[in-house]
Amino acid sequence: MDIQVPLIHTTDIEEIAAARRKHDEVLADLLEDSISREDSLFVEVAHMGGTPSYIASVSLEWIRRQVNLTDTMPLLKRSIDKETGKLRIDEESIEIISQRSIDWSREAVLAKYLIERDTHKFPPILAVLSQPWVDDPGSEMWDEEGCAKEASVAFRALDLRGRLGLIDLSAKARLYALDGQHRVIGIKAALELISTGRLDVRDKDRKVKRDEMLSLDDLISDNGLDEAQLQQLGDERMGIEIIPAVLKGESRTDAQLRVRTTFTHVNKQASPLTPGEIAQLDEDDGFAIVARRVAVTHPFLNSVKSAVNFKNSTISSRSVPITTLQTLTWMARTYLLAHNDYASWGSKNKELARRPGKADLAHGVADYTSLWDHISELPTFRAIAAGESVVRHRRFAHEDKSQGDGGGHLLLRPVGQQALAQAVGLLHAEGMALDCIFAKLATLDREGALRLDAVENPWWGVLYDMNGKRISIKGRDTAVKILRHVIGGLPTDKERKALREAIADARFIGDGEFRDYSSNIVSKSKISLPGQL
């Protein structure tokens, strides 16, 4: 028997579609009516670790008006030092909350970032929503046992599952940034700068710096900004996650502990990037970009297996890598900054660097590649390229227990590579050709004069700690001056005298005694500058 399928006419389909559109329009009208209210905020509910939170998208202007700093919480008022305005750590406050002090020097930096960068982006703010009764132990909102009758967040669901809804933001409700206080002061400062045309620059303790201020007109002219577009900054939106200061059934002490624990966990679980990972990911710092490109394209660094450690900032004596990405970045910065062509690449104070243009980056890569072309031609590096052990050339003599012939090479330690790049950059900027500089370095290399743990070399005591028999990075600046002196000469008697003093001090062995280049014990005046090539 044939089954008759009822026909659906075109008019029926159109009626269904029209009904759906009408449903969506009604829903949109209802939502618009609810979420446009000033005394409430449309949120999505999340639950984690027993604490509900409410996630929303809000404008920067809303944050400026609604979000307060944690040190203004009534909860902490008695622990705020009236003179400094900072949280005073005492028996009470340390048990109330754990919050990092604000570094007010970041205020102007973050304001500039928001105004100058088209691609600016802040992560969400974590805030606590409190009510006046939370800080009033005598309020009727606490029961006889001292537990809250209601949560400090009043939520009204707009769906059957209670996932979407509104939280009450009446005039008495207060939001405090638990995580993201620097973002808050940056947003407020940026909007103030746009509104008033100026912003005071402060130090980390919030004191206004004399003769320092940001001018909106200067920022617009220096960066080619559109003033009309800047006026829309307050309309931009970002995320905020809100947790209650007190949950229903929770005592005030338990609430304080939960909020404090939440803050601690948020900060502890945010694992910081290593310096190497920052160098890998940084798309603004021109020196990091140049270092990254040279690290993966230079023939020498690619011919030696695992030549670059891309994650860590240090290299142990037994490590196979020749250098680290962080060291390559440091080298690129000091080498290129010695030349005026790259002065604009540097960042001021705590500001983010501004990414150079393609042509400038290509120029930087070419100049830095040339430096590594010359480094790779040094005798020790040619030997490594031919297959000799990096570890043997790096180890100190006392570390090479099998043969005792560790090379202790200056340029196989990050601090030595950094000193070399800075010294060569300065010498080259002063007019000395790279070929001439590296011809002299090659002579030093062949003669063993780049060995760190040899008492006859000037690095002994400066970069080599003779007592601990290990690297001493505190001597890097002196090492830069030694290289400049030996290869090209220091320009003034004052600089030469200061260098001799520094080398002598590094060779102090106690009781007014110093060790000279022949390992003899002498007076300080007998320590001389190393010879020049």
Side-chain angles (χ1 to χ4, degrees):
M1 183 175 72
D2 293 337
I3 298 175
Q4 299 294 322
V5 178
L7 296 176
I8 299 177
H9 299 289
T10 302
T11 54
D12 295 331
I13 295 175
E14 291 174 347
E15 288 175 0
I16 292 171
R20 286 179 176 172
R21 286 196 298 271
K22 184 64 177 177
H23 173 270
D24 291 345
E25 290 171 2
V26 171
L27 182 59
D29 287 340
L30 290 173
L31 278 175
E32 181 63 28
D33 181 59
S34 296
I35 66 179
S36 62
R37 295 172 55 183
E38 289 291 326
D39 61 350
S40 60
L41 180 66
F42 181 68
V43 297
E44 181 176 358
V45 181
H47 284 273
M48 196 171 189
T51 298
S53 63
Y54 306 89
I55 301 169
S57 168
V58 296
S59 70
L60 301 192
E61 173 60 26
W62 188 94
I63 289 173
R64 184 191 71 79
R65 290 186 285 104
Q66 297 280 6
V67 182
N68 303 284
L69 302 179
T70 306
D71 62 10
T72 64
M73 288 179 71
L75 186 70
L76 298 176
K77 279 293 185 182
R78 285 176 293 176
S79 295
I80 300 298
D81 190 303
K82 292 181 180 180
E83 293 184 4
T84 65
K86 286 187 171 184
L87 176 63
R88 182 177 61 250
I89 304 300
D90 54 26
E91 184 178 357
E92 178 183 14
S93 67
I94 202 166
E95 287 301 324
I96 290 178
I97 197 166
S98 173
Q99 173 66 295
R100 290 175 294 183
S101 297
I102 296 174
D103 179 355
W104 284 93
S105 67
R106 296 184 61 192
E107 179 187 48
V109 172
L110 292 171
K112 281 189 68 178
Y113 167 74
L114 288 173
I115 289 173
E116 291 181 345
R117 301 298 181 91
D118 291 335
T119 55
H120 54 251
K121 180 69 175 177
F122 278 170
I125 290 168
L126 178 63
V128 179
L129 181 59
S130 188
Q131 303 286 348
W133 61 263
V134 170
D135 302 293
D136 179 9
S139 170
E140 61 181 16
M141 295 301 294
W142 301 101
D143 63 21
E144 294 178 354
E145 296 181 355
C147 296
K149 295 179 180 178
E150 299 292 341
S152 61
V153 175
F155 172 74
R156 178 165 64 90
L158 294 179
D159 68 327
L160 296 177
R161 296 185 181 182
R163 295 178 301 181
L164 300 173
L166 302 171
I167 58 174
D168 177 58
L169 289 177
S170 61
K172 294 182 179 180
R174 288 290 182 272
L175 277 168
Y176 301 95
L178 188 63
D179 182 60
Q181 291 200 104
H182 290 103
R183 277 160 265 163
V184 172
I185 65 173
I187 290 167
K188 293 186 177 186
L191 297 180
E192 177 188 339
L193 179 54
I194 292 170
S195 174
T196 66
R198 69 182 303 279
L199 180 72
D200 289 327
V201 176
R202 304 176 186 276
D203 65 14
K204 63 184 182 64
D205 296 319
R206 206 177 184 177
K207 294 178 181 177
V208 176
K209 292 186 176 181
R210 291 183 178 180
D211 303 323
E212 278 195 56
M213 61 162 284
L214 294 183
S215 164
L216 185 63
D217 290 341
D218 290 345
L219 292 179
I220 290 173
S221 62
D222 292 346
N223 298 280
L225 304 175
D226 183 342
E227 186 172 3
Q229 185 175 348
L230 288 180
Q231 298 298 328
Q232 307 303 313
L233 181 67
D235 296 330
E236 293 188 2
R237 303 181 73 84
M238 64 177 288
I240 187 169
E241 184 172 4
I242 298 169
I243 64 172
V246 176
L247 299 175
K248 183 178 180 179
E250 195 174 44
S251 71
R252 192 165 182 270
T253 300
D254 289 341
Q256 291 164 350
L257 177 61
R258 174 179 52 81
V259 172
R260 182 174 71 247
T261 301
T262 299
F263 172 79
T264 304
H265 288 179
V266 165
N267 284 277
K268 281 185 176 179
Q269 296 306 317
S271 177
L273 295 173
T274 67
E277 289 169 335
I278 292 173
Q280 286 184 61
L281 299 172
D282 198 330
E283 291 295 343
D284 294 308
D285 186 340
F287 304 112
I289 296 169
V290 165
R292 214 160 49 227
R293 292 184 183 176
V294 171
V296 298
T297 61
H298 194 276
F300 172 74
L301 296 175
N302 278 270
S303 66
V304 179
K305 184 178 180 181
S306 303
V308 180
N309 183 329
F310 284 92
K311 184 175 182 179
N312 300 322
S313 59
T314 58
I315 297 178
S316 70
S317 59
R318 296 183 179 183
S319 296
V320 173
I322 292 170
T323 188
T324 71
L325 184 58
Q326 184 191 9
T327 300
L328 288 175
T329 302
W330 202 100
M331 292 174 68
R333 178 174 288 106
T334 55
Y335 176 70
L336 296 177
L337 275 179
H339 304 76
N340 290 331
D341 292 351
Y342 301 96
S344 62
W345 287 27
S347 57
K348 298 177 181 178
N349 300 321
K350 299 177 182 179
E351 295 180 23
L352 287 177
R354 184 176 291 277
R355 183 185 176 97
K358 289 183 179 179
D360 290 335
L361 285 172
H363 185 47
V365 169
D367 283 348
Y368 192 42
T369 297
S370 179
L371 174 66
W372 271 96
D373 287 344
H374 285 81
I375 292 173
S376 64
E377 289 298 317
L378 292 173
T380 295
F381 285 79
R382 288 174 65 89
I384 290 171
E388 291 190 15
S389 168
V390 174
V391 173
R392 185 175 68 81
H393 282 287
R394 176 187 294 122
R395 280 181 177 176
F396 297 131
H398 74 274
E399 293 175 322
D400 198 336
K401 297 178 181 178
S402 60
Q403 300 178 11
D405 62 348
H409 204 286
L410 169 72
L411 301 184
L412 290 177
R413 302 281 181 167
V415 67
Q417 295 165 3
Q418 293 166 3
L420 174 79
Q422 187 171 352
V424 171
L426 292 170
L427 290 167
H428 188 40
E430 291 167 0
M432 197 171 184
L434 286 180
D435 287 346
C436 179
I437 294 170
F438 278 89
K440 294 186 177 186
L441 281 169
T443 298
L444 293 174
D445 195 8
R446 281 191 294 270
E447 294 177 351
L450 297 181
R451 183 173 186 137
L452 289 164
D453 57 348
V455 70
E456 63 268 23
N457 292 334
W459 326 109
W460 189 89
V462 173
L463 290 180
Y464 178 73
D465 178 359
M466 61 278 199
N467 295 315
K469 294 185 176 181
R470 59 178 180 264
I471 282 289
S472 174
I473 62 173
K474 66 182 181 181
R476 182 175 60 197
D477 290 344
T478 301
V480 172
K481 294 171 184 175
I482 291 173
L483 284 166
R484 290 179 63 199
H485 165 74
V486 171
I487 296 171
L490 293 174
T492 68
D493 288 337
K494 182 178 179 181
E495 289 179 272
R496 288 189 287 273
K497 182 179 179 181
L499 177 57
R500 193 200 71 79
E501 287 282 328
I503 293 174
D505 289 341
R507 289 175 169 263
F508 177 69
I509 57 176
D511 296 329
E513 295 179 332
F514 300 78
R515 195 171 295 280
D516 69 8
Y517 302 115
S518 299
S519 198
N520 297 318
I521 297 175
V522 299
S523 63
K524 185 175 182 178
S525 62
K526 297 296 184 181
I527 303 295
S528 62
L529 284 173
Q532 287 182 258
L533 293 177

